[in-house]
Each structure stands twice: as structure tokens, then as C-alpha cells.
Amino acid sequence: MDLHSIRDNEHHTAFAKELLLNNNRGGYTIPSARLYPFQWNWDSGFIALGLLHIDLQKAMEEIRSLFKGQWSNGMLPHINFHHPDPNYFPGPDHWATNDIPERPSAVQTSGITQPPVIGFILARMNDFLVEKPAEWKTFLKEIFPKVVDSHRYLYENRDPHREGLVYIHHNWESGTDNSPVWDDILEGIDVSQARDVATLRRDIKNVDVAQRPTNENYKRYICLIDLFIKHRYKDAEIVKECPFLVQDILFNCMLVKSNQGLIELAEKLNFDASILVEWNNKTIKAIQQKLWDESCGFYYNYDLKNQRRIPIKISSGFMPLFAGICTKQQADQLVYHLQYSFVKNEEWMLCPSTAADEPAFNPLKYWRGPVWINLNWMLYHGLLRYEKTDLAHKIKEQSVQLMQTIGMFEYFDARPVSEGGTRAGLGADLFSWSAALYLDFLYDPKPF
Ligand code: GLC
């Protein structure tokens, strides 16, 4: 990074901190005021890391608020609706979780989960805090068993064949909501009886429709939720009927990375880590056996319902680098795809969410092409771990540069201007995890 950008950093750092504090609603932080006015699960993990660089109390509060939504079966919901807000669809009433016995009494929630990031976020926070205040130790002891419970929920309820791979049953559980990897499965859903929800949508009132999922997509998303409501969110019933059952590579890598974070912490807290070690070894083995495609040299999602891999290259396939799962040789193969399949030439920004050479690639639409900061941040750490230092630094510098020159948006066009690339930010502006990870990129205590 040159001197100019280092000088600029002071201004941008202050901006990122202010953005996070502005999005803080007292105890928790919303992803963005215009599009996402509640608390989201994996967002809160990344946000807590950003808050740590501002105020430890707020970082701990963020995670405590998230766990207020935990169900009695361990499930950590993807949204906590702490306060009412009409500007989001589907809001609390659409999830109909109020009379579900497992739901918490403290807060209304959705009925699905999101990638399990809290285990590794806690480990990262613990590393950052050189002198560990007593309140941090108390906090860890309080939260640790809850995170383990959220993993236990996944292993006991989302892995019917006890393979070590957990499934998701809604694309919103993946975090990569409208990725092309879901297209075929969603297309196959019978929507003849489905509600038309186009007029209920709030997102397209705030963001250009070209950057958001279509109404047809939304109909299918809601159809799945209606199925969960019909079965009163009982996984054992849902699994029999649900057309969407996917062993997602990103989700399972987050689980491994978080298992590892918890194992590290368990040693320090004198907790027994044996079950975590057992789960973790099984998941690593299963990812290598089932999600790695030797002929393509890439990791793919597995459609458990139709028993087939989904051979579309998306940035989730790089997450085994972050979780330290792949061999050096596999890492080389992944890097080859990153350089020659995800981008068309050196002028492109790393890393598009869908490979540029995939027919479904769309440079502007959400998870179908644009660059996302959280995936870049994980990829950066993954590449460092495999000693791909130059590429790692390129990703970090490009991420920082995008946010400094364009703003702290939700996602960005990867194409250079010479190839039609827009240098305007995409999706939501003033997006919390972008700001949070901007701070973490800059403070960058150490790779992990
Ligand atoms: C979008 C993203 C999802 C994120 C949510 C809130 O739906 O796809 O990953 O959690 O926004 O920011």
C-alpha cells in the first residue's frame, strides 16, 4: 500500500467506525438501514469483530444480543427482530414462529439459520485482546456453551446420514442468497399454489431491481418458508418433503473453522473439547471426500435431495483455504481457478462471487458475480495460510481500495471500466460488515 492510501486511511477508518456506531441500535447492529433493519446472524459475527476495534463492550453486547434469539434446540436464527420495522419482507409475522415451543421468549426470530461463524470470531477476538480483561473471560465462559449448542443442533438435526456434513434447507441459510447454484433446485419447486409476494417486497423499493433477486425467485423462497411453517419447523418432518437440501461448501467450512476456534478456546477455558474434535475430524474428511471434484480441481455444493454435485464455480469453493482443509496441491488448483476462471484478466477485481466464465455470471446482481467483502476477507486469510502471500495482499489491497474509492457498500462490480465495469457501489450503502472488515483489514493483528 502506498503512502497516499495510508494517509487516507485515517479518514476512512473514522468513517468506518462512525458507520458501525450509526447502525448500532443499542445492543445490536443492523446490516444497513435501508435494506436490512434487524439483527442478522453471520453479519453480527463480522460486525462484532469490527466493534472490537472500537469498543469491547459493544462487541460483547452484539454477540449477547444474537444469542438472545437462540432456540431451545440450539438453533441460532438468521434474523432477530428486536424491534418492529415495516421496511422488510418477510418480517416477523410471516415466519409464524410465535407459537413454536422452541422459540425464545426474549425476541421474535425467523425460523432458519445462517453460516456458523461465531466460533471463529470468538477465537479471533481472543487473539486480538492481548491483555484479557476479566469481563471478557466471564463473557467467553457464558457464550462458549451456547455456541457449542448451536453446532450440536446442526450435527444432530441437519445430518440425517451422520456423514459429518450438515445440510441447509433454504438458500437464505447459505448467506449467498441468490447464487446460481440454487437455480435448478428452486426452478423445480411447484409454485402453482404459491402466494404472489411481489407487492410485499420492500428491497426493490430501495435498490435497483437489476441488483436484486426476481419476483419469481421470491415466490420460491416464500414457498419453502410456508413448508417449514406447515411442519412447525420440525427438521425431522421437513427433511422428508423439502425439495431444497444442500450440503453447502461455505456453510460446512464455517462449521470447521468455528469448531477449530472453539477447540482452541476450550483449552484455555478448561472445557472438554472431545466432541468438537470428533465432529471436526468427521466434517473435514467428508468435505474432502464428497465436495472436492478431482477432475475439475474445485469444491462444489452437493444436492442431497437429488444426490448430485452442483458443478458451478462460486467463491464459496475457496473456503477450504480459510478452514485449512485442503492440501497444498489442492490449494494450487484453487488458485489457478481464482486467477483464470473467476476473472477474465489482471484488470479485474478479486474475487467475483460467481466465476466470470460461468454462463450464469452477472456482474451486477447480488451473489451472481459481484465482489463481497466478507468472502474476500476470508479468502485473504486462507491464501496467507497457504503462503500465497502476493495474491492474498492483492485481495486485501483491492478490497480496501474499493471501499476507499467507492464507499462501504454491500457489493461491487469486479470488471474494469474498460470492460463496462461500473465504479458505483452496488446493493445497500453504509453496509456494516464491509465497514467492520475494513477495520479488521487495517488493524490486521495477524492471519489466522
Ligand atoms: C443478504 C446477504 C446475507 C446477509 C443479509 C444481511 O441477504 O445475502 O448473506 O446476511 O443480506 O446483510
Side-chain angles (χ1 to χ4, degrees):
M1 215 175 286
D2 66 15
L3 278 177
H4 173 70
S5 63
I6 289 173
R7 204 174 53 237
D8 273 355
N9 282 346
E10 259 175 53
H11 161 73
H12 292 288
T13 306
F15 183 83
K17 289 183 176 175
E18 200 182 311
L19 188 166
L20 276 184
L21 295 177
N22 273 342
N23 283 348
N24 191 278
R25 293 290 177 269
Y28 69 97
T29 309
I30 59 172
S32 98
R34 275 168 67 211
L35 214 48
Y36 310 111
F38 304 107
Q39 183 177 35
W40 260 257
N41 178 335
W42 76 326
D43 295 63
S44 270
F46 298 120
I47 288 167
L49 206 49
L51 288 173
L52 180 71
H53 301 303
I54 305 175
D55 177 351
L56 173 61
Q57 288 302 333
K58 287 204 161 49
M60 293 191 296
E61 272 176 17
E62 184 74 37
I63 294 179
R64 279 202 173 103
S65 310
L66 181 65
F67 279 89
K68 278 191 191 150
Q70 186 167 35
W71 287 23
S72 62
N73 60 2
M75 202 267 293
L76 195 60
H78 98 299
I79 304 178
N80 284 347
F81 301 105
H82 291 288
H83 295 112
D85 193 312
N87 287 318
Y88 181 78
F89 173 78
D93 295 343
H94 291 273
W95 290 91
T97 52
N98 271 353
D99 63 343
I100 303 299
E102 290 84 6
R103 68 151 282 198
S105 51
V107 57
Q108 268 189 298
T109 73
S110 71
I112 58 172
T113 190
Q114 257 194 334
V117 299
I118 302 299
F120 71 76
I121 293 288
L122 290 179
R124 170 85 168 167
M125 289 167 80
N126 192 60
D127 274 358
F128 182 78
L129 292 166
V130 183
E131 281 162 34
K132 311 210 185 320
E135 53 195 331
W136 170 251
K137 291 187 196 150
T138 312
F139 167 80
L140 270 188
K141 287 195 174 139
E142 168 198 328
I143 295 295
F144 182 95
K146 299 183 186 195
V147 188
V148 176
D149 283 351
S150 69
H151 288 206
R152 182 174 294 107
Y153 160 76
L154 294 170
Y155 283 108
E156 290 183 355
N157 298 280
R158 299 296 191 91
D159 182 13
H161 311 305
R162 300 288 176 254
E163 295 175 82
L165 287 178
V166 304
Y167 70 72
I168 54 172
H169 55 209
H170 196 293
N171 48 300
W172 285 341
E173 293 197 312
S174 69
T176 61
D177 298 14
N178 76 329
S179 168
V181 295
W182 318 125
D183 288 358
D184 278 357
I185 300 176
L186 292 172
E187 273 302 305
I189 296 180
D190 174 11
V191 285
S192 51
Q193 310 292 319
R195 296 184 274 153
D196 188 2
V197 293
T199 54
L200 301 174
R201 289 180 69 181
R202 293 286 174 276
D203 56 326
I204 40 180
K205 294 198 165 54
N206 290 315
V207 170
D208 186 344
V209 299
Q211 297 167 25
R212 297 287 304 171
T214 63
N215 285 331
E216 273 306 302
N217 294 149
Y218 255 77
K219 207 185 246 185
R220 289 168 164 80
Y221 304 164
I222 299 302
C223 231
L224 288 172
I225 295 170
D226 286 344
L227 176 76
F228 307 153
I229 295 173
K230 181 177 117 189
H231 291 299
R232 296 180 53 77
Y233 292 98
K234 286 197 173 52
D235 292 313
E237 298 304 316
I238 293 170
V239 73
K240 293 182 203 154
E241 218 189 306
C242 189
F244 191 119
L245 297 176
V246 176
Q247 291 166 322
D248 178 74
I249 181 68
L250 180 144
F251 198 100
N252 280 281
C253 286
M254 299 298 98
L255 190 56
V256 166
K257 184 78 177 169
S258 278
N259 281 335
Q260 288 163 355
L262 293 176
I263 293 166
E264 247 175 62
L265 290 173
E267 275 167 23
K268 294 175 181 138
L269 297 168
N270 278 332
F271 282 132
D272 179 11
S274 48
I275 186 69
L276 289 160
V277 173
E278 194 185 312
W279 287 336
N280 204 41
N281 290 340
K282 210 168 165 186
T283 306
I284 291 175
K285 205 166 153 201
I287 288 177
Q288 289 292 56
Q289 280 174 357
K290 200 171 177 187
L291 305 186
W292 172 253
D293 186 316
E294 185 60 42
S295 60
C296 301
F298 203 72
Y299 290 93
Y300 292 125
N301 284 357
Y302 190 85
D303 174 349
L304 195 57
K305 185 81 182 180
N306 300 302
Q307 308 208 1
R308 55 169 200 110
R309 281 209 192 103
I310 307 174
I312 300 176
K313 281 173 276 139
I314 57 169
S315 53
S316 304
F318 296 118
M319 292 303 105
L321 293 166
F322 180 59
I325 293 171
C326 47
T327 61
K328 280 198 159 133
Q329 200 196 344
Q330 288 172 311
D332 289 342
Q333 287 169 280
L334 292 177
V335 163
Y336 180 84
H337 287 291
L338 181 59
Q339 291 179 298
Y340 300 106
S341 161
F342 275 70
V343 291
K344 290 201 173 150
N345 55 54
E346 288 255 304
E347 304 300 307
W348 282 50
M349 291 284 179
L350 291 167
C351 165
S353 42
T354 296
D357 65 5
E358 286 290 350
F361 174 81
N362 177 328
L364 302 178
K365 214 178 198 39
Y366 213 31
W367 290 96
R368 303 177 81 87
V371 173
W372 287 72
I373 299 300
N374 64 336
L375 265 289
N376 268 12
W377 180 84
M378 294 193 280
L379 186 49
Y380 161 72
H381 284 287
L383 289 169
L384 280 185
R385 188 168 180 160
Y386 284 84
E387 293 168 358
K388 312 283 182 198
T389 317
D390 290 348
L391 205 50
H393 283 117
K394 188 170 177 186
I395 290 191
K396 174 174 170 172
E397 278 170 27
Q398 290 188 342
S399 306
V400 167
Q401 190 198 335
L402 279 172
M403 289 189 276
Q404 288 187 344
T405 54
I406 299 178
M408 311 235 167
F409 279 84
E410 192 180 8
Y411 40 97
F412 302 87
D413 190 345
R415 298 167 304 167
V417 177
S418 58
E419 292 178 47
T422 159
R423 283 289 161 261
L426 304 175
D429 190 5
L430 307 175
F431 192 67
S432 295
W433 84 38
S434 298
L437 297 176
Y438 180 88
L439 294 176
D440 201 72
F441 265 135
L442 288 201
Y443 289 111
D444 202 13
K446 60 176 179 170
F448 81 131

